[in-house]
Amino acid sequence: MPLDPSFVGRTYPPDSTYEVGREKIREFAAAIGDANPLYTDPEAARAAGYPDVIAPPTFLTVINLDAINAIAEDPELGLDYSRMVHGDQAFSYTRPVHAGDRLRITTTVEDIMARAGNDFLTVRGEVVDADGQLVCTTRAQLVVRGEGA
């Protein structure tokens, strides 16, 4: 069943606040194998001009995934989650994420298109801090494989 194109432009407001912690940043950096001291050493981060340790660029996948899943699991959209694969991901930052940030994400269905028997869903996320200032814009493209794929 094809995705419902009327979902383009639909926005999903944040349903929680994500508090960025030093330990979560350290765990994420270890999981991706990045030993950059800015991710683990508060003194190194402060010496570089940051208020605390900063997160690797892909760290926001942690909150972005939950937001994407909320859209993918919306029964009105018609997405068969068992046929979905991740196609692309991008992050555009206005500033680095650091320990102590309190972040919220609003997601919007930016595009739905069909090509070669597959559906492509593009989702944009606007991540803001506790002051409502934009920290990052995320984009993810999901591919829902067609029946013959």
Side-chain angles (χ1 to χ4, degrees), residues 8-148:
V8 174
R10 188 172 292 195
T11 297
Y12 294 75
D15 62 358
S16 63
T17 299
Y18 183 84
E19 295 187 34
V20 180
R22 282 183 188 163
E23 186 61 16
K24 289 295 181 188
I25 292 173
R26 186 197 65 73
E27 289 171 353
F28 190 88
I32 64 171
D34 194 329
N36 186 333
L38 296 178
Y39 304 152
T40 58
D41 182 350
E43 293 306 316
R46 282 192 273 281
Y50 302 109
D52 206 324
V53 295
I54 62 171
T58 55
F59 179 80
L60 287 181
T61 300
V62 172
I63 65 171
N64 198 45
L65 183 59
D66 285 341
I68 289 170
N69 282 341
I71 294 171
E73 294 168 359
D74 187 329
E76 294 178 26
L77 177 60
L79 189 148
D80 180 352
Y81 200 84
S82 71
R83 302 189 70 74
M84 185 181 83
V85 295
H86 193 259
D88 192 25
Q89 183 78 49
F91 301 90
S92 177
Y93 283 88
T94 59
R95 69 160 175 85
V97 169
H98 57 78
D101 271 335
R102 295 174 46 85
L103 304 175
R104 296 175 64 77
I105 184 169
T106 299
T107 51
T108 302
V109 175
E110 209 167 60
D111 191 27
I112 294 176
M113 68 175 178
R115 188 174 22 180
N118 299 311
D119 285 324
F120 293 80
L121 173 71
T122 303
V123 177
R124 182 184 74 245
E126 302 289 333
V127 180
V128 299
D129 62 19
D131 296 325
Q133 297 298 307
L134 181 67
V135 174
C136 183
T137 300
T138 69
R139 279 198 172 67
Q141 186 174 69
L142 310 173
V143 181
V144 183
R145 296 172 292 132
E147 294 295 325

